Amino acid sequence: MLKILTNIEDIQGAKGEIRAGGTDLHDRYRMGVSSGAIIDIHKLDFGGIVENADGSLTIGANVTIDNVGQYPKIQSGYGALSKAANGLATPQIRWAASFGGSLLQKTRCSYFRHPDLTCTKKGDSECGGRTGQHPNGVVFDKGGCAHSHSSTLATALLAYNATVRTTEREMPIVDLYGDGSAHDRDHLLNENEILTHIVLPPAIAGEKTAYFRSISRFEAEWPIVECSVRLVVTDGVITDAGVGVGGVSQIPLRLKNVEAALIGQAATQSTLAKAARISTENTKPLPQSAWKVEIMVNTLLHTLEMALKG
Amino acid sequence: MKTTINGQSFEFEPRHDETAIEVLRERAGLTGTKMACGGGICGACTIRVDNVPKCSCLMPATQMDGADIRTIEEHGLDNLHPIQRAFMANEGLQCGFCTPGFINEGIAFYDRWRAEHGKSEPSKHDIALAMGGHLCRCGAYMGIYAAIQKACAGEYDDAPDAPIHRIDAPEKVTGTAKYTVDIVFDGQLEGKILRSKYPHAIIKGIDKSEAEALEGVFAVADLMKLGEKVRWVGQPIAGVAAVDERTALLALQKIHIDYEVLPAAVGTEAAQKPDAPTVWEKEKRGDIPSAAEEIDIPYKWKNNVGHVPADLLISPLRGRAKRALEKVRKKDPNMLAEQVYINHQQVHTALEPHAAVANWDGSKLHVVASSQSVYAVRNELAHHFGIDIEQITVEGKYIGGAFGAKGGLYREIIVAVTLALAAKAPVRVANSRLEELAYAGTRTGSRAEITLSVKKDGSPGAMHFHSYGDAGIAAGAAPAAVYWLMSPEGLRKDFSDNIIVNNTPPTMPFRAPDGPAKRWAVESAIDEAAARNGLGPVAIRRCWWPKHEIKNRLLDWVESIPQWQERKAMAGADKGRFKRGIGLAMATWMFLYHPHTKVKVSSSPDGFKVECASQDVGNGTRTALAKAMEDALGINRHQVSIEIGSSELPIGPMSTGSQTTVSVYPTTVTACEKVIEHLVKESEAKLGLGNARAVKGGIQHSSGFTAWDEVLAVATPFEYIDKRGAEPMVMGLRFATMSKETNPSNGRRFSHGAVVTEVEVDTLLGKIRPINVWTSVAVGKIRVPELATSQMYGGVIQGLGYALYEQKTFDYKTGHVLSANLNDYRIPGIGDTPEIHVHFDEEGYEEVRGKGIGLAELATIGIAGSVGNAVYHATGWRPTQTPITPSDVLKGLKEKKNA
Ligand SMILES: Cc1cc2nc3c(=O)[nH]c(=O)nc-3n(C[C@H](O)[C@H](O)[C@H](O)COP(=O)(O)OP(=O)(O)OC[C@H]3O[C@@H](n4cnc5c(N)ncnc54)[C@H](O)[C@@H]3O)c2cc1C
Ligand code: SF4
Ligand code: FES
Ligand code: FES
């Protein structure tokens, strides 16, 4: 029932759910939402964080979220990622959880996390969330699951055009999640496919970055909406932008229309406000979650302002 | 696998899904590490792994392999860490259940801070970020901030004599305090409850055979009879006792229940529909559980809506009130303050769950329970199981929070006793966090329709106050009646209390039942009436209580707050995104005490001892007893030996109704007087002292001073049991019900409070940040100031949770509770703590025994009202429901703009 991998090849034929830090897995096991055999990968060494000759950065999937947040080259070159890493969950979780697990964790929908409620992600025929209460549901509805994806760091990776490597392939981070049409999936890895590395393209000097989440309390709360933003400003003009949002869609979302509305424009308050409003273009909120559209626009605006202020 | 725990090597082979907390608590017997949420949110389980704090509830046991594990047990009394001393000296704890986690995180933070900053004080912001993974339901955050700041600054590096205010703090900061969940008897089994999956159904069959056949299962007991109805999701149907928790949980899945599912009314809206199913049939209404503290409220029913037939009492002149309001409505409806105020249900969620261990020894029953009433539980057990009181002992030495949900013989105790009888072995039943959040304790929700007019001079006009309580399938909410007790003379009242029973779990008393809801509605309405009539918040309250000395003193105090003096007259005056506002609410509460309380004080060569069958839920019962001994005898409180938390002791108060200190403190003092009398005589007889009289610490006599120790060494051992007795009051009632302001004893029997809260509203993101809370209570003499201050802080923090974050939510289709983990049920964290300024007004209760009355409930009553009024003052938009969420704020501000 427990297999501790010391060699990545031993995954062949192994049965069970992969466990890295266990911070998501054990919550589900204790709640009686998940059960069964476990394949423990925490002893696998993917090489930590490696600074490549071309300026790119390769991060092993078992590096902790805290290490991602504190690593000097990530702080200086990928500010939105390090800020997101330092701003999510709680210190104990960031010390324990792996980067890989943070991208592959399961949803926090209360129906999914409740042992007695139905959810298609648990194999039930009905999605209790969609037909029931979902005031913190998605605003880019694509049918199927009505709850947002959990991963904060995925929103930052989207903003950076990161790629991920697995035991089977290498792909852009967007392809890890697809377009949201696979309703019962939190990611698109195959069974026994291990995420091994996250690769960040070479950093752009002087980027302005920010990460921010809207919540009701001071900290340690799952976001209503969260944003990771990076801006490159040259002579007062935004020349490049990356915008990732969470809490609004069943997949971590990159808002290319917002990026397009920023790039080539003067780095002014009115540009930011206009761009933030464009985020509503493709929204399709559910009646209960409609209120979140406004808070998405405002959170985005706030994050863009934070980034510009530096 | 081999690990090192507190320097000692430890070997084990983990099960596949085992976590570190199970290794520590179950295999290594180190119960100082606590489990509360089980999901990485509360931090109670925090240990240090190679000096990095980790949640042991989520840490795979495999990761202990080769690691250096440190638990709370690392630092015992003989080698206390400065952080532990700091927590004791600064009241960084109440019930103590969250404390091991905070201390471990605190030690790691202290080490990091010192390495980076040397001996200096971290800011509160630094600490809030570091402690973000910890929750304290008692609200000890102010003390925790102070403790960590001062410890980092070096104040406790070498301070063996640092003060310890709370008597049981040493056990709590070292992990030696044994809570019910920590108790393990030989051969003890784990009990689990099979709970109804449906909100309304008839139990047609219970098939236990498969469960009984499971290896490791010792007993499966029916908790309901066939043909009986379940009326809420979570209602216990059967229980299982097995060798361990996982076997018990597995067995639950193997019990097959045949339900006849009936249509259900989940929530008050569904229950009020014309075709709503009947939640309680007429003949069953006698079984409706009570959500009110010890009070049975009668009802007149119309399907699911029960009306409290007290109209003649609380609204004798209803017609006049109605006419007065209609007159104003016709003339100038703008002068009416009219709103529907709503409070959603709040959950107690003490960090120690409801838990009990039961052990039958022949016909004798021993129960350990996380209880607010060990003495009363014994009586109720005797009644419920038909056994002799003498055969039963009930114990509860350390209780990890209660807040009203652990009074009396609760379901989990009954199940433990039932299973222990069936299994012929000790059985522990402890709720999971889901059970705790969903089924085991909730504050009644409330809907209050209020229309209020005031006279030209600001004095009270008329008030329509109709309340509709949501106590789930329970009944017993009367905020209008409670306000009637305390409302000013001259107010014309059209009051009515109603309950809407529905198929959700029963609510229970929660720190000042109906108090916060009543004040949320009334203080908001008064604030609105003041604004409509061009009066200030203080001015209108002075008009309502022109002759009330205490209330006017509290209002003087309000006006002495510098920020209040700078308050802008206009609401919503701030420009820009962030708007500040400051709001006032008053509070009043009843004086409860327990006249039957008996305290035994004894003296012997071993020293002084005090005994009482009360319990310490974090309120500080031990400390109140010890402080009474300290005050009466002039000895150090830590020299007293204290025995509480057992039904074997002389009868003591329940930890409800803010009545503990007022019941035990004066009684201890008077018992001490008898003991002193005896010792004076003995010192004359046995030591030949002349002119002996007691002074602080011993006896003064013609030839000098002799300390108690010397007297005790020769004196015959002596004990005296004193009884608290009743206050001389109107008709011997436990609390006075007069409300006439001119009554000379008015204000003496009620407690009074005033709360001023300053908030900042982020109008872009809808977030409300409390910045300052000034809270004052007039309850007479404060006997243990440090602990009273802690209670005040805790009241503020729970009140802020009620006002801003906490809401029990349901899936209306299935009747299941959605806010069933501490992510989805949001209680305040350390970073949400504003600056809290506590003030005690100590005059006016001189004729009460002990010269003071209780404050624990009063401390929370006015908070939400003051927050609402502050939000109004900041934005010009008046919130009407709690919690005031970001979505409410954005919606409200938009509506205001469009209006
Ligand atoms: C209180 C709390 C608050 C939180 N707040 C946030 C937040 O704000 N934002 C956020 O993003 N997250 C948050 N989290 C979630 C946290 O980030 C995840 O639990 C964590 O990142 C998971 O990492 P892990 O290593 O512990 O994964 P595990 O629990 O070990 O695994 C998680 C999942 O990923 C799979 N998996 C893990 N590693 C691999 C791999 N290398 N290859 C293939 N599959 C793998 C596992 O099979 C499992 O299904 C919070 C968690 C808690 C407890
Ligand atoms: S909304 Fe998504 S996670 Fe929630 S119940 Fe439906 S499918 Fe499951
Ligand atoms: S019990 Fe582990 S974090 Fe709450
Ligand atoms: S002292 Fe923190 S939960 Fe009770």
Side-chain angles (χ1 to χ4, degrees):
Chain A
M1 293 276 271
L2 172 66
K3 179 154 186 163
I4 300 178
L5 294 193
T6 45
N7 187 340
I8 200 160
E9 272 78 50
D10 295 347
I11 189 73
Q12 298 304 331
K15 285 249 170 309
E17 183 170 349
I18 292 169
R19 177 176 75 190
T23 58
D24 167 38
L25 180 141
H26 279 297
D27 177 64
R28 287 182 275 115
Y29 271 61
R30 182 164 283 112
M31 287 300 273
V33 166
S34 305
S35 61
I38 290 172
I39 308 167
D40 192 314
I41 64 162
H42 89 278
K43 288 214 160 129
L44 294 183
D45 180 9
F46 302 115
I49 305 179
V50 177
E51 300 171 17
N52 304 311
D54 66 351
S56 66
L57 212 59
T58 305
I59 307 167
N62 273 347
V63 168
T64 65
I65 295 178
D66 182 64
N67 284 151
V68 173
Q70 302 297 331
Y71 193 76
K73 271 270 157 61
I74 298 181
Q75 289 187 334
S76 61
Y78 310 89
L81 176 61
S82 76
K83 286 168 191 164
N86 294 330
L88 69 81
T90 71
Q92 293 109 301
I93 298 300
R94 300 196 295 264
W95 278 314
S98 67
F99 196 176
S102 89
L103 302 177
L104 303 172
Q105 60 177 304
K106 306 214 171 194
T107 181
R108 289 280 165 171
C109 169
S110 347
Y111 289 81
F112 173 78
R113 297 264 160 182
H114 195 298
D116 300 319
L117 289 168
T118 60
C119 163
T120 52
K121 285 188 166 165
K122 291 190 290 193
D124 299 313
S125 59
E126 198 194 54
C127 157
R130 175 171 291 271
T131 53
Q133 303 300 303
H134 49 258
N136 199 16
V138 295
V139 300
F140 292 91
D141 183 30
K142 293 201 169 71
C145 180
H147 199 76
S148 59
H149 198 275
S150 301
S151 182
T152 297
L153 294 186
T155 65
L157 291 185
L158 284 166
Y160 281 105
N161 275 319
T163 52
V164 292
R165 260 182 228 153
T166 75
T167 39
E168 299 175 14
R169 51 191 155 152
E170 174 155 353
M171 59 189 153
I173 180 83
V174 271
D175 292 349
L176 183 58
Y177 304 108
D179 63 0
S181 54
H183 295 311
D184 52 351
R185 306 287 302 270
D186 291 287
H187 59 76
L188 300 180
L189 292 193
N190 300 317
E191 204 182 324
N192 286 5
E193 182 175 5
I194 299 181
L195 179 70
T196 57
H197 299 93
I198 295 94
V199 184
L200 293 166
I204 298 170
E207 253 181 14
K208 294 174 173 292
T209 61
Y211 166 78
F212 184 79
R213 65 172 56 187
S214 272
I215 47 177
S216 63
R217 288 173 298 175
F218 176 70
E219 62 189 338
E221 184 171 311
W222 287 89
I224 302 166
V225 175
E226 59 183 337
C227 300
S228 302
V229 161
R230 58 175 195 91
L231 299 173
V232 181
V233 182
T234 322
D235 300 331
V237 174
I238 301 172
T239 54
D240 192 10
V243 176
V245 286
V248 292
S249 157
Q250 47 190 265
I251 49 168
L253 213 59
R254 178 177 179 177
L255 295 177
K256 290 208 173 144
N257 51 353
V258 175
E259 293 171 3
L262 290 164
I263 297 171
Q265 303 299 315
T268 59
Q269 165 71 24
S270 81
T271 299
L272 302 189
K274 230 187 264 166
R277 262 195 307 274
I278 281 174
S279 66
T280 62
E281 256 178 16
N282 303 316
T283 48
K284 195 176 162 213
L286 299 156
Q288 289 177 30
S289 64
W291 70 278
K292 282 179 65 176
V293 175
E294 180 186 357
I295 210 163
M296 175 181 71
V297 174
N298 294 353
T299 306
L300 190 50
L301 176 60
H302 177 77
T303 317
L304 288 168
E305 286 174 357
M306 274 171 77
L308 201 58
K309 269 190 218 128
Chain B
M1 274 182 188
K2 199 163 168 182
T3 186
T4 310
I5 306 174
N6 301 326
Q8 302 214 322
S9 109
F10 187 79
E11 285 190 50
F12 66 102
E13 267 329 300
R15 287 183 314 267
H16 75 291
D17 60 353
E18 190 163 344
T19 55
I21 196 167
E22 289 148 318
V23 177
L24 294 170
R25 288 180 58 90
E26 289 160 23
R27 293 183 193 264
L30 295 171
T31 55
T33 302
K34 301 292 186 249
M35 170 125 95
C37 75
I41 310 138
C42 75
C45 65
T46 301
I47 55 171
R48 283 172 295 131
V49 183
D50 301 325
N51 212 25
V52 177
K54 298 264 173 77
C55 297
S56 62
C57 72
L58 295 183
M59 178 175 153
T62 52
Q63 294 190 16
M64 294 174 81
D65 196 13
D68 178 16
I69 308 284
R70 304 281 156 170
T71 70
I72 189 70
E73 286 91 351
E74 180 190 9
H75 291 283
L77 281 182
D78 48 352
N79 70 335
L80 287 173
H81 189 279
I83 283 282
Q84 289 167 303
R85 286 211 191 88
F87 268 63
M88 295 196 284
N90 293 282
E91 273 284 284
L93 66 150
Q94 291 188 30
C95 79
F97 205 78
C98 69
T99 310
F102 269 105
I103 298 251
N104 269 317
E105 188 84 51
I107 290 175
F109 177 76
Y110 168 98
D111 290 347
R112 289 202 309 277
W113 185 265
R114 279 296 179 82
E116 288 167 30
H117 305 91
K119 279 189 194 177
S120 63
E121 251 191 33
S123 70
K124 285 189 167 180
H125 187 77
D126 295 324
I127 296 171
L129 291 177
M131 298 290 141
H134 294 263
L135 294 170
C136 171
R137 189 46 162 166
C138 300
Y141 298 131
M142 291 291 281
I144 294 169
Y145 271 137
I148 297 176
Q149 283 184 312
K150 291 184 195 168
C152 288
E155 217 171 283
Y156 301 98
D157 287 356
D158 180 26
D161 298 326
I164 301 171
H165 307 294
R166 194 172 283 265
I167 286 294
D168 49 15
E171 293 87 327
K172 289 174 177 175
V173 301
T174 53
T176 54
K178 291 265 182 222
Y179 297 78
T180 303
V181 289
D182 303 330
I183 302 288
V184 184
F185 292 125
D186 277 349
Q188 179 169 306
L189 304 173
E190 204 59 43
K192 282 280 153 197
I193 301 175
L194 181 75
R195 296 173 177 274
S196 174
K197 299 255 185 286
Y198 296 98
H200 199 191
I202 300 171
I203 305 298
K204 297 292 238 191
I206 306 178
D207 180 359
K208 301 175 290 197
S209 52
E210 236 186 282
E212 282 165 340
L214 206 68
E215 195 180 320
V217 171
F218 283 72
V220 184
D222 292 343
L223 301 171
M224 286 188 88
K225 293 193 198 77
L226 295 190
E228 276 188 321
K229 261 189 187 179
V230 286
R231 289 187 168 80
W232 45 287
V233 165
Q235 192 166 348
I237 299 176
V240 166
V243 277
D244 54 22
E245 190 180 2
R246 58 192 52 233
T247 312
L249 288 171
L250 189 65
L252 290 188
Q253 293 176 10
K254 308 226 177 254
I255 303 176
H256 304 289
I257 305 294
D258 182 10
Y259 293 98
E260 180 186 330
V261 179
L262 304 169
V266 177
T268 53
E269 217 173 285
Q272 288 179 97
K273 291 205 171 122
D275 57 345
T278 301
V279 173
W280 286 102
E281 310 77 18
K282 204 168 170 196
E283 61 282 7
K284 287 285 178 191
R285 285 184 181 139
D287 296 347
I288 300 181
S290 169
E293 218 151 56
E294 291 177 71
I295 304 162
D296 248 340
I297 300 174
Y299 282 98
K300 260 169 77 183
W301 294 95
K302 250 194 211 152
N303 199 16
N304 297 322
V305 182
H307 171 65
V308 184
D311 306 35
L312 282 178
L313 183 66
I314 65 176
S315 299
L317 305 170
R318 188 187 298 272
R320 280 174 61 184
K322 280 186 173 169
R323 283 193 295 280
L325 290 172
E326 277 324 300
K327 214 164 120 190
V328 181
R329 192 186 300 282
K330 278 210 188 99
K331 210 167 128 210
D332 187 358
N334 261 333
M335 286 300 152
L336 285 180
E338 191 165 52
Q339 301 278 4
V340 177
Y341 293 96
I342 288 171
N343 303 97
H344 290 288
Q345 291 182 342
Q346 182 186 27
V347 177
H348 302 68
T349 195
L351 286 199
E352 184 189 27
H354 287 68
V357 184
N359 187 13
W360 290 87
D361 177 7
S363 59
K364 280 196 189 327
L365 172 64
H366 180 59
V367 172
V368 182
S370 186
S371 166
Q372 330 180 185
S373 54
V374 288
Y375 197 90
V377 166
R378 180 175 67 162
N379 297 341
E380 291 174 57
L381 276 169
H383 181 72
H384 187 94
F385 288 93
I387 35 178
D388 235 21
I389 283 191
E390 278 67 45
Q391 308 282 350
I392 308 172
T393 51
V394 180
E395 198 183 288
K397 295 286 182 196
Y398 295 91
I399 290 124
F403 316 114
K406 293 178 182 168
L409 182 59
Y410 54 74
R411 292 176 195 88
E412 290 76 5
I413 305 178
I414 298 177
V415 179
V417 174
T418 308
L419 286 171
L421 189 61
K424 299 193 174 49
V427 174
R428 166 173 60 195
V429 172
N431 276 344
S432 68
R433 191 51 39 183
L434 183 152
E435 290 174 297
E436 204 54 24
L437 283 164
Y439 316 131
T442 300
R443 186 192 284 284
T444 304
S446 171
R447 177 189 153 88
E449 297 168 352
I450 297 222
T451 311
L452 171 65
S453 71
V454 298
K455 297 194 179 130
K456 279 221 171 53
D457 62 358
S459 62
M463 185 190 278
H464 166 104
F465 181 171
H466 288 204
S467 89
Y468 298 85
D470 174 9
I473 51 108
V482 174
Y483 184 61
W484 162 80
L485 273 177
M486 301 160 183
S487 58
E489 212 177 331
L491 179 69
R492 294 178 179 181
K493 298 183 257 305
D494 169 9
F495 282 14
S496 150
D497 282 311
N498 307 277
I499 198 88
I500 305 163
V501 287
N502 64 95
N503 296 108
T504 60
T507 65
M508 287 177 189
F510 189 160
R511 201 173 193 165
D514 297 339
K518 159 201 77 166
R519 285 292 155 178
W520 167 250
V522 170
E523 295 298 312
S524 296
I526 294 175
D527 208 63
E528 186 179 337
R532 289 182 183 276
N533 289 275
L535 290 162
V538 169
I540 191 169
R541 288 169 172 93
R542 289 203 197 272
C543 296
W544 278 41
W545 300 97
K547 292 181 219 138
H548 198 296
E549 271 177 44
I550 293 178
K551 284 192 192 287
N552 279 289
R553 261 200 331 263
L554 290 173
L555 290 169
D556 294 344
W557 166 82
V558 169
E559 291 184 315
S560 75
I561 299 168
Q563 282 87 335
W564 184 268
Q565 292 167 357
E566 289 157 19
R567 183 181 190 275
K568 295 178 183 130
M570 241 242 314
D574 277 2
K575 300 277 166 266
R577 170 175 162 187
F578 294 98
K579 297 184 193 295
R580 285 204 178 195
I582 186 165
L584 164 67
M586 302 290 281
T588 308
W589 199 237
M590 293 162 274
F591 166 33
L592 295 185
Y593 66 98
H594 183 240
H596 311 295
T597 285
K598 287 179 179 166
V599 175
K600 177 155 112 186
V601 174
S602 51
S603 65
S604 76
D606 295 337
F608 292 105
K609 185 170 183 183
V610 59
E611 296 165 73
C612 180
S614 192
Q615 52 287 312
D616 200 321
V617 295
N619 59 314
T621 307
R622 278 189 185 85
T623 312
L625 288 163
K627 177 66 165 27
M629 300 284 280
E630 179 174 295
D631 292 347
L633 296 160
I635 54 173
N636 181 308
R637 66 183 81 170
H638 295 282
Q639 288 166 354
V640 181
S641 128
I642 303 160
E643 203 62 65
I644 63 163
S646 164
S647 60
E648 300 293 274
L649 303 168
I651 182 170
M654 308 216 282
S655 307
T656 60
S658 313
Q659 62 184 334
T660 315
T661 304
V662 295
S663 301
V664 301
Y665 180 95
T667 320
T668 308
V669 169
T670 47
C672 279
E673 283 163 8
K674 299 288 186 202
V675 174
I676 289 171
E677 246 172 61
H678 164 78
L679 291 175
V680 168
K681 274 193 214 128
E682 288 280 288
S683 72
E684 286 172 337
K686 301 219 166 113
L687 294 172
L689 307 180
N691 257 336
R693 71 192 161 83
V695 293
K696 272 190 184 322
I699 287 184
Q700 192 72 48
H701 46 88
S702 32
S703 46
F705 171 82
T706 302
W708 285 131
D709 281 354
E710 282 176 59
V711 183
L712 292 178
V714 298
T716 329
F718 182 78
E719 60 179 50
Y720 190 82
I721 299 180
D722 202 17
K723 186 174 166 187
R724 185 186 191 292
E727 296 288 330
M729 265 197 223
V730 201
M731 297 190 301
L733 284 182
R734 282 180 62 198
F735 54 90
T737 54
M738 76 292 125
S739 58
K740 269 203 161 68
E741 190 179 7
T742 43
N743 185 322
S745 61
N746 184 54
R748 307 289 148 104
R749 310 297 194 198
F750 285 125
S751 57
H752 300 277
V755 191
V756 173
T757 296
E758 184 184 21
V759 298
E760 181 185 80
V761 181
D762 178 348
T763 57
L764 191 68
L765 301 174
K767 185 163 172 167
I768 298 164
R769 188 166 66 91
I771 301 168
N772 277 293
V773 175
W774 293 267
T775 174
S776 178
V777 291
V779 292
K781 193 95 186 107
I782 299 297
R783 291 304 179 180
V784 199
E786 301 86 6
L787 272 69
T789 304
S790 293
Q791 281 294 310
M792 295 292 286
Y793 290 154
V796 169
I797 289 162
Q798 283 182 354
L800 291 174
Y802 183 67
L804 296 173
Y805 319 122
E806 296 182 38
Q807 179 178 355
K808 187 174 187 180
T809 55
F810 293 92
D811 177 56
Y812 293 104
K813 227 166 51 183
T814 60
H816 278 287
V817 173
L818 291 175
S819 50
N821 60 58
L822 283 176
N823 284 306
D824 292 334
Y825 188 79
R826 296 187 269 275
I827 68 174
I830 188 166
D832 303 309
T833 312
E835 290 298 331
I836 305 174
H837 318 267
V838 171
H839 173 256
F840 296 117
D841 180 315
E842 298 194 62
E843 273 172 59
Y845 297 82
E846 287 73 17
E847 84 293 9
V848 177
R849 267 196 84 178
K851 301 188 171 44
I853 65 179
L855 60 77
E857 294 168 289
L858 183 64
T860 206
I861 291 175
I863 309 301
S866 73
V867 172
N869 291 341
V871 171
Y872 170 75
H873 183 238
T875 63
W877 161 72
R878 177 166 299 285
T880 55
Q881 356 183 336
T882 64
I884 320 168
T885 63
S887 94
D888 294 336
V889 173
L890 292 182
K891 204 170 120 213
L893 292 178
K894 205 187 273 167
E895 275 167 14
K896 190 192 150 242
K897 212 166 132 198
N898 293 342

